[in-house]
């Protein structure tokens, strides 16, 4: 019977085992995102996001990662399809986890609006996401870049001020490029873009190579006209 009596070692061991099990259960679906943070290269990240969709089945994280992957590839119609699928699932199963995932889905949708040139819609949605989750770097990035595209330089700079202490260097470079383009400093914008493309960057608002090349062409033409 003495073996059944609790002591501090058994209590701590049991608690540790429970915490490890909970940690693995909560974080295992996100393992591909963690791997992407290590590898950083966009092509590698896209493969990991696709693997997440295939391995995580019908989980919300699979739908979210698939939408992110489609955004990076420039397939915005496909990304919207998965976002709609995920939001429908959130509506039918409104758990706390699904509500949190819905925030990321709406953030992805704001990025799609931005890439399509619907800057007012992108800004409106990103602001609503950021108001609910001030830790959302992607939402704040959409806010900065959309305001710059709408010609609201002061608003873009003010929003960028909120981003300064939170974001990685590649996010700074992308926002700085949009702000400099808004100012008409296209050569400086191109310099920021060049530095960004030389980085082994993690996804910045899910910007793909196609979007970076579009900006390079746009600003190169603008620079030649102003020069």
């Amino acid at each position: 019977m003495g073996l059944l009596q609790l002591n501090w070692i058994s209590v701590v061991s049991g608690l540790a085992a429970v915490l490890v099990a909970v940690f693995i259960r909560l974080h295992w679906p996100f393992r591909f995102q963690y791997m992407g943070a290590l590898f950083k290269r966009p092509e590698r990240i896209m493969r990991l996001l696709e693997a997440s969709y295939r391995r995580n089945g019908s989980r919300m994280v699979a739908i979210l990662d698939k939408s992110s992957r489609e955004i990076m590839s420039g397939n915005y119609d496909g990304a919207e399809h998965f976002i709609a699928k995920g939001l429908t699932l959130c509506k039918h199963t409104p758990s706390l986890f699904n509500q949190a995932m819905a925030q990321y889905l709406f953030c992805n949708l704001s990025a799609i609006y931005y890439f399509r040139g619907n800057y007012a819609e992108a800004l409106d949605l990103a602001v609503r996401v950021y108001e609910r989750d001030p830790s959302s770097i992607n939402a704040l990035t959409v806010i900065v870049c959309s305001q710059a595209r709408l010609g609201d330089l002061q608003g873009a700079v003010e929003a960028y001020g909120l981003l300064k202490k939170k974001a990685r260097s590649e996010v700074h470079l992308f926002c700085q490029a949009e702000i400099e383009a808004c100012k008409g400093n296209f050569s400086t914008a191109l310099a920021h873009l060049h530095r960004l493309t030389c980085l082994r960057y993690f996804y910045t608002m899910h910007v793909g190579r196609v979007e970076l090349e579009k900006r390079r062409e746009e600003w190169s033409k603008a620079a030649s006209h102003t020069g």
Side-chain angles (χ1 to χ4, degrees), residues 99-169:
Q99 289 179 31
M101 290 292 100
Q103 285 289 97
Y104 292 106
L105 289 170
F106 279 123
C107 193
N108 277 6
L109 185 58
S110 71
I112 291 173
Y113 289 159
Y114 164 75
F115 292 137
R116 282 179 166 164
N118 301 326
Y119 304 121
E121 292 88 344
L123 178 60
D124 178 68
L125 184 54
V127 166
R128 282 187 282 161
V129 171
Y130 184 71
E131 286 175 345
R132 293 189 61 180
D133 180 14
S135 66
S136 178
I137 299 298
N138 278 358
L140 190 52
T141 305
V142 174
I143 292 171
V144 173
C145 296
S146 296
Q147 286 178 315
R149 286 282 172 168
L150 289 168
D152 183 5
L153 179 59
Q154 181 179 351
V157 171
E158 289 177 356
Y160 179 66
L162 299 174
L163 189 67
K164 280 186 175 179
K165 296 181 180 180
K166 301 179 181 180
R168 299 166 58 95
S169 59

Side-chain angles (χ1 to χ4, degrees), residues 155-219:
V157 171
E158 289 177 356
Y160 179 66
L162 299 174
L163 189 67
K164 280 186 175 179
K165 296 181 180 180
K166 301 179 181 180
R168 299 166 58 95
S169 59
E170 58 270 22
V171 179
H172 286 296
L173 288 170
F174 191 77
C175 290
Q176 288 168 3
E178 287 283 23
I179 289 172
E180 291 300 324
C182 180
K183 293 178 181 178
N185 300 331
F186 299 108
S187 296
T188 306
L190 285 167
H192 289 314
L193 199 64
H194 176 71
R195 289 178 59 196
L196 171 60
T197 54
C198 290
L199 292 176
R200 295 177 64 247
Y201 67 98
F202 189 49
Y203 29 56
T204 307
M205 208 172 60
H206 309 310
V207 179
R209 294 290 184 184
V210 173
E211 289 295 334
L212 294 176
E213 190 58 35
K214 282 169 57 178
R215 279 154 183 74
R216 189 197 309 278
E217 293 179 5
E218 174 191 348
W219 295 337

